[in-house]
Amino acid sequence: MKKKYTIEGLDCANCAAKIEEALGKLDGVESATVSFLSEKVKFDLRDDVDLDKLLAKANEIADKIEPGSKILVD
């Protein structure tokens, strides 16, 4: 399943790349792409993923790497 979200609070492309790498390692994530320019996060996920848990963990990761950043449900 594919999902796309907005990410706000990114200050640099390097942080976006670090977030992308970390999100790609989450359980159930087949791939993750974070675009600094468009402020979007795209996921390719297994069908059995709990989206609420995934987004909670993704937001923890994003905030740890880039304090104040947040992934929003569009």
Side-chain angles (χ1 to χ4, degrees):
M1 117 178 77
K2 296 182 186 282
K3 291 290 184 181
K4 183 166 77 170
Y5 302 99
T6 298
I7 184 167
E8 63 179 23
L10 290 177
D11 290 330
C12 71
N14 186 44
C15 290
K18 288 179 182 178
I19 292 169
E20 177 177 291
E21 181 180 350
L23 295 179
K25 295 177 182 177
L26 290 175
D27 188 39
V29 176
E30 294 178 358
S31 69
T33 306
V34 177
S35 172
F36 172 68
L37 293 176
S38 68
E39 296 182 326
K40 297 291 180 190
V41 178
K42 296 178 184 176
F43 289 106
D44 191 5
L45 306 167
R46 288 193 326 242
D47 289 335
D48 63 344
V49 168
D50 181 325
L51 290 176
D52 291 332
K53 288 182 182 179
L54 173 73
L55 286 173
K57 187 64 178 169
N59 271 306
E60 286 178 29
I61 290 168
D63 188 56
K64 183 176 182 181
I65 294 171
E66 179 71 67
S69 64
K70 185 173 182 179
I71 298 170
L72 307 171
V73 177
D74 296 333

